Amino acid sequence: MTIKRLLHPIGPALPILMIIAAGPPAIQAQDAADFFRSNCTSCHTIGGGRLTGPDLKNVTQRKDRAWLIQFMQSPQAMIDRGDAYALQIKQESRDVIMPVISGMSPARAETLLTLIDAESKLEKSQFAGLQISDRPFTEQDVQQGMAIFMGHRKLANGGPPCVECHTVAGAGGFGGGRLGPDLSKAYERLQGRKSMGAWLYSPATPTMNLTFKNTALKANEEILPLLALFESTAQKGVEDDRAGTSAFFATGFLAAVACLGLFAVIWKARFRAVRDPLVETSARKVLGGR
Amino acid sequence: MNNTYFNALFFIGLPYVSVFTFFLMTIVRYRTHGFTYSSLSSQFLENRQHFWALMPFHYGILTVLGMHILAFLVPRQVAWWSSVPLRLWIMEIGMLAAGLLTLVGLVAAMVRRRANHKIAVVTTASDWVILALLLIQVLTGLGVAMMHPWGSSWFALAVTPYLYSVATLNPNLAVVSVMPWMVKWHVINAFLVIGFFPFTRLVHILVAPNPYLWRRPQVVRWYRRPAAAGR
């Protein structure tokens, strides 16, 4: 059966079906905004100044769309090719190269540029960046940050505490988790208050993105104290020394030994063999002390 | 090997092949070789070393496996438990101890099968394959516990969504593909164990003497002299 014959019954309705499948423009715009929020806001703002990456306000006036679409799909390739503007972006971003974003097709890049154009025309874009206080950090902020990090203070939107996957110098006890990196020097790596604040509000890694997608941190109540903690640990310049991990292993090892001892005691009178004890007893009798 | 192909092969292809093999071959084996559905216990041949293999291994593996299943079935509750550091550490130390018991039991079982002549005779190639797979599984599990704590917390966030996506025939590799290699190895080896399961004595899990847990107790009398009671 040919494709033509297959399509025959719905042929007249095909253009309408295609329009329905494409979805109304409002839904596409919302989709682009969700995509931008999930994938771009940890490094970019629209009209809120540069973070790790440049401010994207009026980006289409700085470079043509074809170049931007190409760059959005494969930033590394453009840099490798020696493109002057791509190299300039890299230098301005302190050598941080934009990662390849999953699902960034040419069509997706086009809708994102349309979104950026529309947002650039607004007096204040919804992507102007995290509104976080500029006041200096206090010792109390650092303590609150540690309480949030360790899970002693619950996150308002129900997100998991940092300690489950990360550690930080001074975590105490058996230390923090190590699925993700040690965050003691993250404040330096993520280039300070503004960039790290944006990152915490909209994390870029798949694991963090999935975890905090519906449980974003509160700007001044949670992100600010965490930033205070990370600034203080970065200033000290030391990472978690893994003493907690060694203590964890030692405790687990002792617990296992205790279990084995318990087995030996509980099943002391267990029936273990028939023939071997008979042979051993007889051998002792026959051989005597020899 | 390209990372995308590697992930697709081991986190989409392998799980489905393994689970399909598991269901197909456990049914086929039960229908065609029903009497082989057993642990083929060698306890009767040797029962001293057997104790130090059987007891630590079973208590260890049942505890660890039970927690893995719990984290898959009720991830939110497990994450809630682990959201307080003290509770998290109690759980993790308990699981580490159970993992170490499993390792002790497994190594003891391997030594016994190699060193004891009578047991070596009744040991097959399939036994060695599953013992090796289990050893890799336990070692990578302990490696994850030591190198990437705290699994009881992040399992619910990072691994459960992947396992659910596989179970609902809509595999999502977004998170599992960026896991550390030790975690990936542990997951891949788990699917190998599941796939090889029907060809081993592990099938006894499916027909374990479960009614022993709730049936009326039976009194067993041993006729022996008190002096021999400790034997």
Side-chain angles (χ1 to χ4, degrees), chain B residues 91-179:
Chain B
M91 162 107 83
E92 285 284 341
I93 288 167
M95 288 305 108
L96 176 65
L100 288 169
L101 285 180
T102 313
L103 181 65
V104 168
L106 195 58
V107 171
M110 293 176 94
V111 169
R112 174 175 174 266
R113 288 205 169 265
R114 179 101 184 123
N116 190 303
H117 175 68
K118 281 186 283 186
I119 307 301
V121 170
V122 295
T123 301
T124 62
S126 145
D127 292 332
W128 285 115
V129 173
I130 199 66
L131 281 169
L133 285 174
L134 287 174
L135 186 65
I136 293 170
Q137 194 61 9
V138 175
L139 288 175
T140 52
L142 288 169
V144 169
M146 293 301 303
M147 287 167 64
H148 306 293
W150 305 108
S152 63
S153 298
W154 56 251
F155 186 99
L157 305 169
V159 184
T160 302
Y162 159 67
L163 293 177
Y164 263 101
S165 76
V166 171
T168 52
L169 306 180
N170 184 24
N172 181 354
L173 308 188
V175 176
V176 77
S177 59
V178 293
M179 286 285 118

Side-chain angles (χ1 to χ4, degrees), chain B residues 149-207:
Chain B
W150 305 108
S152 63
S153 298
W154 56 251
F155 186 99
L157 305 169
V159 184
T160 302
Y162 159 67
L163 293 177
Y164 263 101
S165 76
V166 171
T168 52
L169 306 180
N170 184 24
N172 181 354
L173 308 188
V175 176
V176 77
S177 59
V178 293
M179 286 285 118
W181 66 268
M182 185 71 91
V183 179
K184 284 184 174 180
W185 197 6
H186 191 65
V187 173
I188 291 167
N189 198 70
F191 285 120
L192 288 177
V193 171
I194 291 169
F196 199 63
F197 177 97
F199 308 101
T200 68
R201 62 179 72 213
L202 282 191
V203 289
H204 78 272
I205 296 169
L206 301 175
V207 289

Side-chain angles (χ1 to χ4, degrees), chain A residues 96-136:
Chain A
V96 176
I97 298 168
M98 182 173 137
V100 175
I101 310 290
S102 173
M104 185 68 84
S105 60
R108 169 77 72 189
E110 185 69 53
T111 59
L112 286 174
L113 289 176
T114 306
L115 172 81
I116 292 167
D117 273 347
E119 292 287 332
S120 299
K121 285 176 192 149
L122 300 175
E123 193 179 330
K124 190 182 174 194
S125 161
Q126 59 176 317
F127 303 112
L130 185 64
Q131 301 306 304
I132 198 163
S133 167
D134 287 335
R135 70 171 174 78

